[in-house]
Amino acid sequence: MRVLGIETSCDETGVALYDTERGLLADALYSQIAVHAEYGGVVPELASRDHIRKTLPLVDEVIKTAGLVKQDIDAVAYTSGPGLLGALIVGATMARSIAAGLGVPSLGIHHMEGHLMAPLLSDEPPDYPFVALLVSGGHTQLIRANAFGDYCLLGESLDDAAGEAFDKTAKLLGLPYPGGPQVARLAEQGNPDRFSFPRPMVKHPGLDFSFSGLKTHVGTCIRDLSSEGALSPKDKADVARCFEEAVVDTLVIKCKRALKQENVRTLVMAGGVSANKRLRERLQSALGQLGAEVLYPEPKLCTDNGAMIAFAGALRLAAGESDPDAPEVRARWPITELEPPTASKKGNQL
Ligand code: KG4
Ligand code: ZN
């Protein structure tokens, strides 16, 4: 089955074609960074308008790259939440219209299930159960995945997500949006021992996170430094490095705790922050010492993309699930409300 995947939940238009027999056939991504950069963050209305402009050209592009024609598409999957409502509606409307035009089923996919499935696009996917660390701009979650669609939330951020903390720190450092990759780049030259930032909630039992206090510490540190004059490039690199170490330390401690608690040996990492090199290195070495392994997708599949939606869609569509008649998108949507795929959700047979 060949599934067209469409991702439009935030500021990236991602489109891909996934074949259940041949794997990923083609994927294309358009980033709206330039559109939002001058505002210092995502402007929802501009995001919706840009998705309208880019989705169909990207659909044409992936079909051409895969050497196929539209009629070769067997189903269409799209992100139906969580995300920016207007942006989701654009993707849902386009996807359902394409599906209706071709006379094939469509299916709305949970954005975080897409992220969760991205590491499974590899040639050697992990066996269930595993623990997943989902770290994006909107979410920081530890999830036990018992099977596809059977997820148990072990812990999550009580305030800012890890990616949000990176983005806010970038802003405090005067770096352009989107901040995470910029902070990570700057941190490479920084001294990890110059400032001591807190490792939030590591002394609390449990698996929840909190990153807003860390951001306040970074803000205070930057204010103190600026009282002595403008921050030097070295000051900025040192702040970035110490901040990154604090986030990475916190995530590593909680991941180790989650694996021990769940008695599981595999950690899967996904979402934009999982592209962070330092986090990957530190998790690999810490889990290696525990005799556990960490799996993460290639960097382009860590951030938002169409491939993860096409793939998660293919797994559900192949099990017989498809959209109800009325379009359904949700701005807020806990991943734990998902269930394993079932053909009874709608009888639209492939
Ligand atoms: O998964 P994603 O593309 O979009 C959401 O679903 O939110 O994640 C975007 C987030 C942003 O906060 C971005 O700053 C962060 O991931 N990010 C990074 C890195 N690359 C992206 N954070 C730290 N280091 C990176 N290399
Ligand atoms: Zn995402």
Side-chain angles (χ1 to χ4, degrees), residues 1-207:
M1 189 203 313
R2 293 188 201 98
V3 179
L4 177 71
I6 297 180
E7 153 63 36
T8 63
S9 67
C10 190
D11 58 347
E12 258 136 4
T13 317
V15 178
L17 264 169
Y18 179 81
D19 186 321
T20 45
E21 272 154 36
R22 291 165 56 209
L24 190 61
L25 302 179
D27 64 330
L29 188 82
Y30 168 76
S31 166
Q32 301 180 350
I33 287 177
V35 175
H36 303 291
E38 66 175 293
Y39 303 96
V42 180
V43 183
E45 182 54 31
L46 295 182
S48 308
R49 288 187 216 168
D50 229 25
H51 287 309
I52 293 174
R53 277 191 284 271
K54 296 296 175 190
T55 305
L56 289 180
L58 288 187
V59 168
D60 288 339
E61 184 184 324
V62 294
I63 291 172
K64 195 165 160 215
T65 307
L68 300 174
V69 293
K70 279 198 177 81
Q71 287 67 25
D72 293 322
I73 294 170
D74 299 308
V76 185
Y78 58 93
T79 305
S80 52
L84 302 173
L85 204 55
L88 292 168
I89 288 172
V90 173
T93 309
M94 299 239 182
R96 293 181 64 117
S97 306
I98 293 168
L102 294 172
V104 300
S106 63
L107 182 63
I109 292 296
H110 193 291
H111 180 76
M112 298 312 287
E113 180 171 70
H115 275 306
L116 185 58
M117 286 299 121
L120 278 71
L121 268 165
S122 81
D123 293 338
E124 290 178 36
D127 292 329
Y128 293 99
F130 56 78
V131 169
L133 171 68
L134 298 183
V135 267
S136 69
H139 293 79
T140 304
Q141 295 183 324
L142 275 164
I143 287 176
R144 180 189 170 99
N146 294 312
F148 176 60
D150 180 0
Y151 312 123
C152 172
L153 183 66
L154 305 173
E156 64 182 335
S157 179
L158 304 177
D159 40 55
D160 293 354
E164 198 177 349
F166 267 94
D167 294 339
K168 287 179 175 169
T169 295
K171 233 178 194 173
L172 290 168
L173 286 169
L175 298 170
Y177 156 88
Q182 310 259 1
V183 171
R185 215 166 298 132
L186 196 58
E188 282 174 20
Q189 284 109 48
N191 169 6
D193 302 317
R194 176 152 168 211
F195 307 108
S196 154
F197 291 144
R199 273 58 176 156
M201 292 188 69
V202 294
K203 298 220 166 72
H204 286 61
L207 295 167

Side-chain angles (χ1 to χ4, degrees), residues 254-317:
K254 297 281 165 133
C255 285
K256 281 165 61 178
R257 196 178 288 174
L259 288 177
K260 276 190 196 149
Q261 176 187 303
E262 296 302 309
N263 197 18
V264 163
R265 301 214 149 267
T266 307
L267 181 89
V268 157
M269 179 165 65
V273 183
S274 69
N276 185 279
K277 267 201 259 167
R278 187 79 189 128
L279 178 60
R280 290 171 173 229
E281 286 165 9
R282 289 280 314 283
L283 270 176
Q284 207 143 22
S285 102
L287 298 200
Q289 285 165 16
L290 289 182
E293 60 168 355
V294 53
L295 301 171
Y296 36 76
E298 55 177 305
K300 73 170 185 172
L301 296 180
C302 288
T303 45
D304 292 349
N305 63 85
M308 66 186 196
I309 301 303
F311 179 52
L315 295 175
R316 286 189 174 272
L317 285 150

